[in-house]
Amino acid sequence: AMPARWMASARAAHPDLVRVMGIAAPRAGFLPTDTATVYGLAAAGGFTIVLIDPATARALGVIAYDDTLFSIVVELHRRLLLPPPWGGILGVIAGTVLLLSVISGLWLWWPRAPKRFRMPRITRAARGRRRVQELHDVSGVWLAAPMLVVAVTGIVLVWPMDRPRGPTGMATLCEAPAPDPDTALAMARDAVPGTRFLGLNPPGPNGLTWIRLAASDIARPVMVAVDGCGTVTIDRQGGPHHLMAPIHGRLLAGDAGR
């Protein structure tokens, strides 16, 4: 990974990218793409994503994210296109309703006598309402587990709260300039060996560079904070959002789970 070259290439190709908010490795960002991405705010105020060839660091194109259908679908899924906090509140209500529906459905289906336990099935002779009922029973039982996972993790992800970027409650007293992205990444990898680069957030007001690493596609990411004095802090928890996101989106099974 060459985050410093990726960021420099993005800025050179698109000077209107006035503030870089983050860098993501291929298939590791919120935008599903095989390119690296550098994202941030443009001069006009819109959210901009620059696509970068990960091998050559050549800028391949730019996306005005706010104008894409993808962004609309994301906001519909996350917040029902409503402003905060109402989108998150309604999302929590919808997830809770789904959770209660699945649990109550399982309770209604579960046989009262253990000896009568039998998995639901679709019979050839069933017609009309009976066929619909059997389809409902079969799909409900087999999909109950993933629907419970989606409901619970979705509630946590849309819960209306402020999520700090990177390790919670951290700041640095170091007054030295922040290291360049490549140096920060090397320091993070030395602290957490055997991991691959997922993403990086340049220093914010607290003076820390955040690096996201993972041992594999299905492992929980590790957040590493680096300051200009060489201090490296590892946060293996990452908060509920970093724990729930890979479960909700990929069932902890990489692309197969997606």
Side-chain angles (χ1 to χ4, degrees), residues 3 53 84 95 103 123 133 146 188 196 213:
D53 184 318
I103 293 174
T123 57
Q133 182 67 49
R196 72 182 187 91
L213 305 170

Side-chain angles (χ1 to χ4, degrees), residues 146 148-150 152-154 157 218-221 240-254 257-258:
L148 286 173
V149 171
V150 168
V152 172
T153 54
L157 289 173
I218 63 175
R220 184 170 60 180
H241 181 268
H242 293 288
L243 172 63
M244 293 298 176
I247 301 175
H248 183 80
R250 298 182 294 277
L251 297 176
L252 292 179
R258 187 192 298 272

Side-chain angles (χ1 to χ4, degrees), residues 68-125:
T68 63
L69 176 62
F70 183 84
S71 70
I72 297 174
V73 175
V74 168
E75 289 302 307
L76 174 65
H77 180 70
R78 289 180 176 174
R79 288 183 280 270
L80 302 176
L81 299 178
L82 296 174
W86 301 109
I89 292 173
L90 288 182
V92 170
I93 293 173
T96 304
V97 170
L98 174 60
L99 184 64
L100 294 176
S101 177
V102 174
I103 293 174
S104 61
L106 287 173
W107 186 86
L108 290 171
W109 164 78
W110 198 265
R112 300 300 179 262
K115 292 183 179 180
R116 298 180 58 187
F117 182 85
R118 187 180 68 175
M119 289 297 292
R121 59 193 179 90
I122 300 174
T123 57
R124 291 184 178 181

Side-chain angles (χ1 to χ4, degrees), residues 15-218:
D16 59 332
L17 184 64
V18 294
R19 178 189 170 197
V20 173
M21 299 173 64
I23 304 167
R27 309 296 296 179
F30 59 89
L31 192 66
T33 174
D34 291 325
T35 66
T37 53
V38 177
Y39 54 91
L41 296 179
F47 191 70
T48 298
I49 302 172
V50 183
L51 306 179
I52 303 292
D53 184 318
T56 65
R58 183 170 61 92
L60 302 176
V62 62
I63 298 174
Y65 179 76
D66 296 333
D67 297 334
T68 63
L69 176 62
F70 183 84
S71 70
I72 297 174
V73 175
V74 168
E75 289 302 307
L76 174 65
H77 180 70
R78 289 180 176 174
R79 288 183 280 270
L80 302 176
L81 299 178
L82 296 174
W86 301 109
I89 292 173
L90 288 182
V92 170
I93 293 173
T96 304
V97 170
L98 174 60
L99 184 64
L100 294 176
S101 177
V102 174
I103 293 174
S104 61
L106 287 173
W107 186 86
L108 290 171
W109 164 78
W110 198 265
R112 300 300 179 262
K115 292 183 179 180
R116 298 180 58 187
F117 182 85
R118 187 180 68 175
M119 289 297 292
R121 59 193 179 90
I122 300 174
T123 57
R124 291 184 178 181
R127 296 290 186 272
R129 183 179 179 84
R130 167 126 188 151
R131 171 57 65 91
V132 174
Q133 182 67 49
E134 290 182 352
L135 287 170
H136 177 82
D137 293 345
V138 170
S139 60
V141 169
W142 284 104
L143 295 176
M147 283 197 296
L148 286 173
V149 171
V150 168
V152 172
T153 54
I155 290 171
V156 175
L157 289 173
V158 302
W159 190 272
M161 61 181 176
D162 293 328
R163 299 191 186 95
R165 189 179 66 184
T168 58
M170 290 183 59
T172 179
L173 299 177
C174 175
E175 297 182 358
D180 66 85
D182 289 350
T183 301
L185 175 57
M187 295 168 64
R189 277 180 161 164
D190 287 341
V192 190
T195 55
R196 72 182 187 91
F197 172 65
L198 298 181
L200 179 149
N201 296 105
N206 55 13
L208 295 172
T209 300
W210 312 111
I211 298 97
R212 191 160 52 101
L213 305 170
S216 68
D217 290 339
I218 63 175

